[in-house]
Amino acid sequence: MASVHESLYFNPMMTNGVVHANVFGIKDWVSPYKISVLALLYEMTSSKITLPERRRLNKLILPLQQGPDLTLGQFLKTVEECCPQTAYAVKLRLQEMADGELKDMEYFFSTLPTPFSAFDSEAHKTSVVGLFMRHMLLAYNKLSFSQVYKLYKSLQHYYHSHYAKPTDGQVGLPALAADDSEMDLTSIEDTVGDRVDKEELDAPLHESELRSDGTPSRGPLSQKQAEYFLARQAYLLKNDENKALKPAALQEELNNMLKFNPDFAEAHYLNYLNSMRVQDIFLSAHSLLHYFDRLILSGNEGKSNGDEGYGRSLRYAALNLASLHCRFGHYQQADLALQEAIRIAQESNDHVCLQHCLSWLYTLEQRKGSESTVLTQDSVKMAAHFCLPYLGSLDIQSLVQQGAMQGKAAHKLMDALKDTEILHWKHSLSELIEISLAQTTSIWRMYGKSTMALQQAQLLLNMSSLEPVNFGVHQNNTEAFAVALCHLAELHAEQGLYNATSEIFQHLKEQFPPHTQHSKLWMLCDLKIQFERHMNDRKYHLAEPLVKAMSALNKTEGLYRKAHVLKALNRSTEAYSILQQLQVHCEKTKCTEIIIRVMLSTAELHWESSGFSTALPLLLQALALARQHHLQSLASETILHLAFTQLMLGVPEQALNVLHEAMEPILAHGAVIDKGRAMLLAARCHMAVAGFKLKGQGHLDLQLAALAVDSLNEAASYFSKLKCKERLRDVHYLQAQLYRSLGQTSQSNRSAMNFRLLDQELQSPAPPVFMQL
Amino acid sequence: EDAQDLDALTLAKSYFDLKEYDRAAYFLKGCCSQKAYFLYMYSRYLSGEKKKDDETVDSLGPLEKGQVRNEALRELRVELSKKHTARELDGFTLYLYGVVLRKLDLLKEAVEVFVEAIQALPLHWGAWLELSNLITNIEMLKSLSLPDCWIKDFFMAHMYTELQMIKEALQKYQNLIEAGFSKSTYIISQIAVAYHNIRDIDQALALFNELREHDPYRIDNMDTFSNLLYVKSMKPELSYLAHNLVEIDKYRVETCCVIGNYYSLRSQHEKAALYFQRALKLNPRCLGAWTLMGHEYMEMKNTSAAIQAYRHAIEVNKRDYRAWYGLGQTYEILKMPFYCLYYYRKAHQLRPNDSRMLVALGESYEKLSQQVEAKKCYWRAYSVGDVEKMALLKLAKLHEQLNESDDAAQCYMLYIQDIFSCGEQLEHAEVSTALRYLGQYYFKNKLYDEASLCAQRCCDYNDARAEGKALLRQISQVRDQVETPSADLFTPLSNNNTPVRRVSPLNLISFTP
């Protein structure tokens, strides 16, 4: 019943009360550009062209017919490249029309081969060319008297503007010029009266409409041009944000477009995407709802599926709203919207939509920090059932991530990833392949296998995209790339290659400018690296301001770093309370890595109050946790702490035993600073075992002492690589002592001199050497 | 000068009246008097506008239609701005300059020029009206320096109505009436519209009836009148009005709206929509018609068309709260309570003191089981003066659901007070529900006097009679057991309409165990 009323009393083509025979469906209108294409087709059918030229022209036809309007200059240039002779003929014909009279254009249309009469030519009525010609003839014949005259006027303008401005072929320049002239009239106030002379007034606005090629332009675009523009911008937003228009410019362009055609629903959607880019919740929500309000109407167009038309868009409207709120962190709102979407989808038995909802549901649960493994598993099963490979493997990836967090067996995770990988390549889901690689990188990093992580990251960065390269954009602007690059930067920083690191950050900064969605990733990463460096150099005053910046990006991380700084500044009580707070928080959110780190820091705090025995159970707990979750680097770090504690407790032999266990992984995968610390610790253990005392000169086990010398040398080389002078000074001090007790005075003196030099340079009193790891 | 140009001016004026603008402009070209100059420029402006309208109909493509513009505007602006800087413009030409600027979307400059025009010629109401379209808020209004003329009061009253500051507007109009404009039909109609805006229906109706007596052939504002008649479901009056207006002029927007309302009241929604469409054809920027059409489509359950119509209304005026509210209702009908929240919120923003939006918001929240928000909405709706008297009942029921019996009882009590104090019988009144709950509540709290009173009142209502009697029986049983008869138990209260009023909510709380 509803549809009957609609057709009787509501004309969807009615806008602002005026009925236009437009909006939906009919997109072809005769424009000067189309006349040129017609002229080209006409020339092709009527004149003799050599075979290779004809082939090239044939190839050209489809893009010319379907693409947006070109300027005459561009058009002639493309044709000329294929066949200069035809281009000339086309130009002549256009000139004939433009310089002649209206009747010349009318004559042209009447001489066009009618597709119904020409049976054996290319312009047969069912061919592509024939169809196009029929469309054009139909559209032309429909024009009213004044419209024909207008068309002729614009044809004249189209032709003459090409010759008036020979530079028209250059993209961008004319656009700017036109912009200026228009801006003059609308915005600049005082001088305008004098500046706008007659000539500028005469230049009609149509100029801007005839300009095209997808470059941003003010003024109206034709339907096709607008669609092309929107598609291009949306694609760029998804794949390479930097190449898209700046948010403000794009917004202006969209406003312009909407002003001319408020029914253009897709523009609202792009508006939504654009507002998301600048984190504008109000505008994005507004545009999203507006888009779906419009869509609901146009959804009725396909009446074949009855009510399905707008019911479908309703579901997805709710789902999109949920995703919007989720992205802005309004989890409760998102939850409500999602429930709505699920309910509507259930009512109409739309399993695909339900599946989408399910995967959003578990994402939401995850974001809220609650357990969602069961949901995800369900989701995988459902996706497999409905043959939705994309969602299915996305679910699996999410499961793997959860599994890794919960310390599931590593081989199972890798197996699962491998299986999805097969799926991805089968369906060529390039986006998921990238995510998968980035995920593997992260997992390897988490497990502390830096080499594997490095390899995976390089693999991702060097992989050539599967997607056909659209608009000259490689898809390298996604989150996966950001993650991989961040890991790469951190890995380089760990090895002390700070130049390389800063280069990577430079690249990141270009690829993901600060206002974009994924920029937070590299910002945090950058801050972390800087923080570590300052802490190692004991420049706490430099590290402190970074903490604030970090807290803004990630609260937990910021808190943890704050505790670090406080600890370093000997404000132990405050540091301790923060660490306690963090531990409680992280146990709630199941953030194992941070828990272990917090435990280690707490143990260090205990050291400072000489509570070595109280630190031991904590460290053992941390070790158990790290092993359970396969976190090798953290486990080795814990072992270092453990060994140090034992050393301090006066059981150096035991400490050495423990240390040996960690030495291998640290040397293989660890950061340079860890290597140095491990070697330094080993040397000190050796010295202690050998019976070395700082003051007195007892008998020394020479073999062990030699080992200690070697270790110290190695540690010195690591520290000097990092330019970590504080630690280097400690090493030289120990070296000097050791050499002296071994009776090698010259060596001892050299080390002592090194120590002295560094000490002078640093100008800060050395902290108690033996109280730190 | 005037005498010199008189011939040309008279000729041109005739052409102008015949809407041959170009011709008028041609004959005025050489004239130098102010009058002739204005007519010359004005003809050129109107000619451009007319051509623009004609162009719109046969543009070459759908997207071209937006770019059709009045080509004359730029030239006019250049000429006028030259004269403007030379200070050669009089009140009328300044007005024209302002119009041109506004058409070119140079709003800030337009405001300045209009103010200038008003200062030059305060009695030109057209300039005031143009200015009123450009003022968006009260601060802007206050910042303008306007001449102190009696017509300024009209303007201020008009602005207050536009900015929904009804009280101030009414005050202004009252002052004007007292100052000697008591016979002005304009003022009467404006007051009526103002009453309509604050939903004081009876007052507005009375004024409109008066207006029709004074000015029987008036068509302006009659659409508002018909809205009022519609709300009151006064079929014969509406029908009479519709027929009358058709006789006067059937091709007026107002007439079409009245007929649309008439058909809508008779539940002939298709026809109603048809007439609203006709109104829109006559004036595409007629806001009310879009919204009303949306309502009609809602009635026809054609939600997609309704959404479309409402969206159009919003496009014409973003501040149209009825369209936002309508959109919300549409989505509510589609069972999307969360989705409609956004629209209701928009509507609420525009009319913060309208209880209907608040109740709608509350209902949506309730559907989403967000009781806290729902409670806030209902309470707020009651506080701003509930039109439909539903907020308290809903609030009470919500409290009841949440087992907050004290609050629920309090709300029911307020509800009963509210219902009785407004005097008239409302259809959906659920006094019996409230009484039943209160009876039970008092009984539980061992306040037998009050409980029995409520139970007695319950017996007045058919649907609660049985329960009331049962409660009375229970009470007497308990009383017998306790044996604490009080002499003044059955004080004559029956003629008191609001029996529970004597127990203030505050005592209640102190009584609860």
Side-chain angles (χ1 to χ4, degrees):
Chain A
M1 207 43 192
S3 56
V4 172
H5 291 150
E6 189 201 26
S7 57
L8 268 179
Y9 296 110
F10 187 75
N11 183 352
M13 292 172 186
M14 194 175 83
T15 49
N16 292 340
V18 184
V19 178
H20 294 280
N22 85 21
V23 192
F24 310 108
I26 309 165
K27 287 174 184 171
D28 270 336
W29 291 82
V30 190
S31 70
Y33 166 73
K34 299 255 172 70
I35 294 180
S36 335
V37 177
L38 281 178
L40 171 69
L41 292 175
Y42 181 71
E43 288 304 328
M44 279 173 68
T45 48
S46 60
S47 60
K48 291 254 177 282
I49 310 170
T50 58
L51 201 58
E53 279 174 344
R54 177 168 290 273
R55 272 195 198 130
R56 275 180 297 195
L57 280 176
N58 281 347
K59 264 194 208 163
L60 200 62
I61 288 174
L62 207 59
L64 280 181
Q65 275 181 23
Q66 293 179 342
D69 286 12
L70 303 171
T71 61
L72 185 60
Q74 288 166 325
F75 174 70
L76 286 178
K77 212 174 135 207
T78 33
V79 179
E80 222 161 77
E81 277 162 16
C82 302
C83 174
Q85 177 202 345
T86 319
Y88 183 69
V90 169
K91 203 164 82 176
L92 264 189
R93 186 159 288 274
L94 284 176
Q95 190 184 13
E96 199 177 292
M97 279 190 270
D99 289 345
E101 285 176 57
L102 187 60
K103 73 170 172 26
D104 293 310
M105 189 174 81
E106 280 169 346
Y107 177 72
F108 170 71
F109 273 98
S110 64
T111 53
L112 275 182
T114 37
F116 294 102
S117 61
F119 278 108
D120 25 277
S121 76
E122 289 93 336
H124 183 63
K125 62 179 174 180
T126 49
S127 71
V128 179
V129 175
L131 214 59
F132 176 72
M133 283 185 148
R134 277 162 67 194
H135 268 164
M136 284 300 111
L137 275 178
L138 211 60
Y140 177 75
N141 287 335
K142 265 190 191 170
L143 293 181
S144 67
F145 178 80
S146 59
Q147 280 173 325
V148 172
Y149 183 65
K150 253 182 98 176
L151 178 66
Y152 180 66
K153 277 275 168 205
S154 58
L155 177 69
Q156 276 186 328
H157 180 75
Y158 181 68
Y159 182 78
H160 289 303
S161 66
H162 171 56
Y163 288 100
K165 282 189 203 160
T167 52
D168 234 24
Q170 288 173 16
V171 181
L173 202 75
L176 275 176
D179 266 357
D180 280 346
S181 66
E182 204 171 11
M183 293 297 283
D184 276 352
L185 284 163
T186 48
S187 64
I188 303 170
E189 262 323 282
D190 337 346
T191 54
V192 79
D194 308 324
R195 273 177 57 188
V196 178
D197 49 15
K198 202 66 189 160
E199 197 183 314
E200 249 173 309
L201 283 171
D202 283 344
L205 278 171
H206 294 110
E207 193 184 357
S208 52
E209 149 222 7
L210 300 171
R211 204 179 48 227
S212 60
D213 69 42
T215 49
S217 61
R218 293 177 61 82
L221 302 151
S222 74
Q223 181 101 4
K224 275 225 177 99
Q225 284 169 314
E227 273 168 17
Y228 179 72
F229 173 78
L230 290 182
R232 181 188 158 85
Q233 291 297 329
Y235 180 85
L236 286 175
L237 277 189
K238 181 166 167 264
N239 292 318
D240 193 350
E241 231 183 279
N242 302 322
K243 290 219 179 71
L245 282 179
K246 291 273 168 295
L250 182 56
Q251 183 72 47
E252 199 178 330
E253 198 60 40
L254 287 172
N255 286 346
N256 211 19
M257 196 180 286
L258 285 172
K259 201 167 82 190
F260 292 128
N261 191 352
D263 298 318
F264 215 18
E266 288 78 9
H268 286 293
Y269 194 75
L270 194 60
N271 206 342
Y272 154 65
L273 292 180
N274 194 32
S275 323
M276 288 287 282
R277 193 144 73 119
V278 289
Q279 311 272 311
D280 182 345
I281 172 112
F282 291 106
L283 202 57
S284 50
H286 180 81
S287 306
L288 183 68
L289 294 180
H290 202 151
Y291 168 66
F292 278 106
D293 283 349
R294 293 280 177 203
L295 193 70
I296 284 163
L297 180 87
S298 51
N300 257 2
E301 204 183 3
K303 282 203 181 76
S304 52
N305 33 353
D307 240 4
E308 189 61 15
Y310 76 77
R312 193 178 128 83
S313 67
L314 279 185
R315 299 193 277 280
Y316 283 100
L319 187 60
N320 268 294
L321 197 62
S323 83
L324 172 86
H325 281 301
C326 188
R327 214 169 283 188
F328 281 102
H330 307 156
Y331 297 130
Q332 199 201 359
Q333 311 254 21
D335 199 30
L336 290 172
L338 195 59
Q339 275 170 17
E340 203 157 284
I342 292 173
R343 193 174 40 72
I344 306 172
Q346 270 172 343
E347 275 168 15
S348 46
N349 278 329
D350 183 346
H351 293 290
V352 178
C353 180
L354 268 179
Q355 179 56 36
H356 279 281
C357 292
L358 187 55
S359 52
W360 267 108
L361 191 62
Y362 79 70
T363 318
L364 204 59
E365 292 289 315
Q366 233 173 325
R367 293 269 183 102
K368 284 201 283 190
S370 47
E371 186 65 37
S372 60
T373 322
V374 184
L375 268 180
T376 323
Q377 277 164 351
D378 277 354
S379 182
V380 175
K381 274 178 215 153
M382 295 296 280
H385 184 248
F386 292 113
C387 297
L388 299 167
Y390 183 91
L391 280 181
S393 57
L394 201 62
D395 293 340
I396 293 176
Q397 285 177 344
S398 161
L399 259 183
V400 167
Q401 195 181 342
Q402 289 170 31
M405 292 293 192
Q406 290 158 4
K408 288 260 167 62
H411 65 272
K412 275 190 186 165
L413 300 182
M414 289 297 171
D415 262 359
L417 275 183
K418 195 191 72 204
D419 289 349
T420 53
E421 203 95 314
I422 295 170
L423 207 65
H424 299 156
W425 287 104
K426 208 161 100 187
H427 296 276
S428 36
L429 303 164
S430 66
E431 207 179 323
L432 289 179
I433 294 171
E434 284 161 14
I435 296 179
S436 166
L437 278 172
Q439 202 176 25
T440 335
T441 315
S442 302
I443 290 178
W444 280 127
R445 269 271 289 165
M446 198 176 97
Y447 287 161
K449 312 280 189 198
S450 54
T451 325
M452 285 305 286
L454 203 61
Q455 183 223 348
Q456 291 289 329
Q458 295 287 7
L459 195 61
L460 172 59
L461 295 176
N462 289 318
M463 192 180 70
S464 49
S465 178
L466 277 183
E467 290 231 334
V469 179
N470 269 350
F471 306 116
V473 176
H474 290 280
Q475 197 177 18
N476 53 4
N477 193 261
T478 52
E479 192 180 3
F481 276 93
V483 170
L485 281 168
C486 282
H487 280 307
L488 209 58
E490 279 184 334
L491 288 169
H492 278 91
E494 274 179 9
Q495 300 307 319
L497 304 166
Y498 291 117
N499 281 338
T501 312
S502 65
E503 244 169 69
I504 292 172
F505 278 120
Q506 197 58 42
H507 177 69
L508 274 167
K509 229 172 260 180
E510 275 163 26
Q511 275 297 318
F512 305 88
H515 62 85
T516 55
Q517 204 184 340
H518 306 306
S519 57
K520 279 181 186 166
L521 285 172
W522 66 258
M523 284 182 185
L524 185 64
C525 188
D526 190 17
L527 285 172
K528 268 192 213 170
I529 291 172
Q530 283 183 40
F531 181 84
E532 290 290 339
R533 279 187 78 176
H534 291 315
M535 287 305 277
N536 282 337
D537 296 347
R538 300 213 173 110
K539 288 176 182 159
Y540 305 127
H541 60 286
L542 287 177
E544 214 171 349
L546 295 179
V547 171
K548 268 191 198 123
M550 256 189 266
S551 322
L553 292 169
N554 184 342
K555 227 172 141 196
T556 328
E557 191 70 35
L559 218 54
Y560 172 67
R561 303 285 166 168
K562 191 177 174 189
H564 255 243
V565 175
L566 287 175
K567 182 163 70 74
L569 294 171
N570 285 328
R571 286 153 70 175
S572 316
T573 340
E574 288 165 67
Y576 187 73
S577 70
I578 287 180
L579 285 174
Q580 288 299 311
Q581 200 185 323
L582 253 181
Q583 188 159 7
V584 172
H585 172 73
C586 290
E587 267 161 17
K588 218 184 283 165
T589 54
K590 302 222 172 65
C591 212
T592 324
E593 277 178 277
I594 300 272
I595 294 178
I596 296 170
R597 280 193 190 168
V598 168
M599 282 176 170
L600 294 184
S601 301
T602 320
E604 283 171 23
L605 271 181
H606 283 309
W607 294 347
E608 277 179 20
S609 50
S610 300
F612 293 105
S613 47
T614 42
L616 264 184
L618 256 181
L619 288 173
L620 286 172
Q621 203 184 339
L623 186 62
L625 212 58
R627 290 219 167 123
Q628 190 194 331
H629 284 82
H630 318 281
L631 307 174
Q632 202 189 34
S633 65
L634 278 176
S636 332
E637 175 93 12
T638 317
I639 288 174
L640 278 189
H641 278 70
L642 209 56
F644 179 74
T645 316
Q646 283 172 339
L647 177 68
M648 289 328 252
L649 283 171
V651 275
E653 298 87 354
Q654 201 59 40
L656 258 183
N657 274 344
V658 176
L659 194 56
H660 275 305
E661 204 178 316
M663 204 53 113
E664 200 177 317
I666 285 181
L667 290 181
H669 297 289
V672 178
I673 183 104
D674 286 334
K675 289 183 196 171
R677 279 159 71 195
M679 292 321 283
L680 180 59
L681 188 61
R684 285 173 63 184
C685 287
H686 283 306
M687 284 159 75
V689 174
F692 172 82
K693 288 192 186 66
L694 265 186
K695 291 280 150 52
Q697 197 146 6
H699 55 92
L700 265 174
D701 186 335
L702 285 177
Q703 206 181 344
L704 279 174
L707 271 177
V709 169
D710 285 350
S711 304
L712 278 177
N713 282 338
E714 209 170 324
S717 75
Y718 287 133
F719 287 135
S720 59
K721 203 181 200 176
L722 282 178
K723 300 202 182 65
C724 186
K725 288 175 184 152
E726 298 271 352
R727 288 182 196 271
L728 209 53
R729 180 170 64 173
D730 297 348
V731 173
H732 287 313
Y733 179 68
L734 278 179
Q735 270 178 335
Q737 293 280 7
L738 189 60
Y739 281 130
R740 196 152 71 87
S741 51
L742 286 172
Q744 297 171 353
T745 326
S746 65
Q747 301 270 32
S748 165
N749 284 346
R750 208 181 58 211
S751 293
M753 189 188 68
N754 279 340
F755 169 77
R756 180 89 184 109
L757 282 175
L758 277 175
D759 200 39
Q760 266 174 344
E761 193 183 331
L762 287 169
Q763 281 185 338
S764 63
V769 180
F770 300 100
M771 288 309 284
Q772 70 159 20
L773 183 63
Chain B
E1 278 184 342
D2 274 358
Q4 211 176 6
D5 290 341
L6 188 63
D7 292 346
L9 187 65
T10 325
L11 179 64
K13 181 70 175 53
S14 310
Y15 287 137
F16 181 85
D17 290 340
L18 288 168
K19 302 197 173 172
E20 298 188 45
Y21 302 118
D22 285 334
R23 213 170 165 190
Y26 175 76
F27 284 106
L28 282 169
K29 209 155 198 176
C31 298
C32 40
S33 72
Q34 287 283 5
K35 244 189 209 168
Y37 182 68
F38 171 72
L39 195 59
Y40 170 59
M41 295 305 262
Y42 197 51
S43 309
R44 282 175 62 189
Y45 166 71
L46 281 182
S47 131
E49 286 292 293
K50 186 163 173 281
K51 276 182 196 149
K52 186 185 85 176
D53 287 347
D54 294 348
E55 288 282 290
T56 319
V57 181
D58 47 32
S59 58
L60 276 181
L63 280 149
E64 216 181 40
K65 74 167 190 270
Q67 69 175 308
V68 179
R69 33 170 117 183
N70 188 343
E71 293 294 334
L73 283 179
R74 305 152 121 207
E75 293 171 42
L76 285 177
R77 170 159 184 246
V78 175
E79 282 181 41
L80 284 169
S81 75
K82 267 183 202 159
K83 289 231 174 194
H84 183 232
T85 40
R87 307 215 149 269
E88 284 172 10
L89 295 180
D90 66 346
F92 289 112
T93 27
L94 275 171
Y95 160 73
L96 183 60
Y97 184 37
V99 171
V100 169
L101 286 175
R102 192 171 75 86
K103 287 273 174 182
L104 288 169
D105 281 334
L106 300 168
L107 301 184
K108 222 179 89 201
E109 295 79 9
V111 169
E112 284 164 18
V113 172
F114 279 128
V115 170
E116 224 174 295
I118 286 165
Q119 265 155 357
L121 195 73
L123 296 187
H124 182 204
W125 182 239
W128 290 98
L129 271 185
E130 284 289 336
L131 183 63
S132 80
N133 285 332
L134 295 172
I135 292 173
T136 47
N137 54 28
I138 185 74
E139 281 77 25
M140 191 173 165
L141 178 63
K142 279 177 184 160
S143 68
L144 296 175
S145 67
L146 299 168
D148 235 356
C149 179
W150 54 268
I151 204 162
K152 187 186 172 190
D153 290 321
F154 279 89
F155 173 70
M156 291 309 272
H158 177 76
M159 268 335 287
Y160 285 142
T161 324
E162 290 277 298
L163 297 171
Q164 305 275 348
M165 298 164 66
I166 306 295
K167 242 185 228 161
E168 289 85 346
L170 285 175
Q171 184 61 42
K172 277 270 176 207
Y173 282 128
Q174 202 57 47
N175 291 346
L176 283 170
I177 284 181
E178 280 158 20
F181 285 105
S182 56
K183 290 239 173 83
S184 161
T185 50
Y186 169 78
I187 290 190
I188 297 174
S189 68
Q190 287 300 307
I191 296 178
V193 169
Y195 277 125
H196 167 258
N197 283 355
I198 49 169
R199 303 190 68 76
D200 192 340
I201 295 166
D202 297 328
Q203 284 267 26
L205 274 179
L207 279 169
F208 270 119
N209 282 325
E210 190 189 332
L211 187 64
R212 273 182 67 73
E213 255 168 51
H214 289 307
D215 189 1
Y217 292 97
R218 185 188 180 94
I219 294 187
D220 294 346
N221 303 111
M222 284 304 131
D223 48 338
T224 319
F225 185 36
S226 75
N227 282 348
L228 292 168
L229 293 174
Y230 180 89
V231 171
K232 278 279 183 185
S233 307
M234 294 160 83
K235 265 189 209 174
E237 286 85 349
L238 189 55
S239 155
Y240 175 72
L241 178 70
H243 286 112
N244 198 345
L245 288 182
V246 168
E247 269 176 26
I248 301 166
D249 184 353
K250 60 179 175 177
Y251 294 117
R252 279 283 292 266
V253 178
E254 287 87 350
T255 312
C256 293
C257 283
V258 172
I259 298 172
N261 271 336
Y262 166 71
Y263 277 124
S264 178
L265 194 59
R266 292 174 48 121
S267 307
Q268 291 179 316
H269 300 295
E270 293 89 345
K271 282 196 172 178
L274 185 66
Y275 271 94
F276 289 130
Q277 266 188 27
R278 182 180 283 183
L280 287 171
K281 271 182 199 160
L282 291 169
N283 179 8
R285 299 193 62 78
C286 175
L287 176 73
W290 277 120
T291 319
L292 289 171
M293 197 156 79
H295 293 332
E296 293 315 310
Y297 282 120
M298 284 275 287
E299 293 286 342
M300 291 192 265
K301 302 270 180 297
N302 186 352
T303 40
S304 59
I307 289 171
Q308 178 73 350
Y310 287 133
R311 268 289 170 194
H312 271 295
I314 290 169
E315 224 154 73
V316 178
N317 182 1
K318 260 186 242 169
R319 301 182 53 80
D320 182 24
Y321 70 94
R322 281 167 307 173
W324 287 111
Y325 183 67
L327 271 177
Q329 275 181 321
T330 317
Y331 281 108
E332 199 175 337
I333 284 177
L334 291 170
K335 291 190 203 150
M336 297 170 77
F338 182 76
Y339 209 76
C340 70
L341 269 184
Y342 177 83
Y343 298 105
Y344 283 144
R345 252 186 245 138
K346 273 271 181 198
H348 172 59
Q349 259 172 21
L350 296 169
R351 293 266 293 195
N353 289 331
D354 196 321
S355 64
R356 287 168 300 168
M357 282 69 163
L358 281 162
V359 171
L361 263 177
E363 278 171 358
S364 309
Y365 276 126
E366 208 179 325
K367 274 182 205 146
L368 294 168
S369 38
Q370 305 260 60
Q371 275 91 357
V372 185
E373 282 83 356
K375 273 194 274 189
K376 277 184 205 159
C377 288
Y378 288 143
W379 183 250
R380 175 98 187 121
Y382 167 68
S383 316
V384 298
D386 190 6
V387 189
E388 283 156 334
K389 310 278 176 214
M390 287 299 285
L392 272 175
L393 187 67
K394 285 182 189 292
L395 184 60
K397 282 184 178 164
L398 202 56
H399 281 306
E400 203 180 322
Q401 268 176 29
L402 297 170
N403 286 329
E404 297 165 342
S405 51
D406 293 344
D407 292 329
Q410 205 175 325
C411 289
Y412 275 129
M413 217 142 42
L414 281 172
Y415 174 67
I416 292 172
Q417 281 173 19
D418 216 29
I419 289 289
F420 281 109
S421 65
C422 83
E424 59 187 304
Q425 202 62 42
L426 289 160
E427 276 174 32
H428 52 74
E430 291 194 54
V431 182
S432 56
T433 325
L435 281 172
R436 214 184 315 169
Y437 183 82
L438 277 176
Q440 293 289 351
Y441 172 76
Y442 287 132
F443 183 70
K444 264 183 218 149
N445 287 320
K446 303 202 174 70
L447 295 164
Y448 301 116
D449 296 2
E450 287 83 354
S452 69
L453 202 62
C454 290
Q456 278 168 359
R457 303 286 308 178
C458 265
C459 298
D460 295 350
Y461 297 91
N462 281 332
D463 51 342
R465 187 165 296 147
E467 279 190 47
K469 281 183 177 159
L471 187 60
L472 274 178
R473 232 173 289 131
Q474 273 181 319
I475 294 169
S476 61
Q477 267 178 13
V478 176
R479 281 224 172 106
D480 288 345
Q481 284 168 11
V482 182
E483 284 187 336
T484 48
S486 54
D488 56 349
L489 190 61
F490 295 104
T491 41
L493 277 164
S494 46
N495 49 1
N496 187 350
N497 255 348
T498 53
V500 280
R501 188 178 280 170
R502 70 195 178 105
V503 185
S504 81
L506 276 175
N507 308 344
L508 259 183
I509 288 156
S510 61
F511 267 109
T512 47

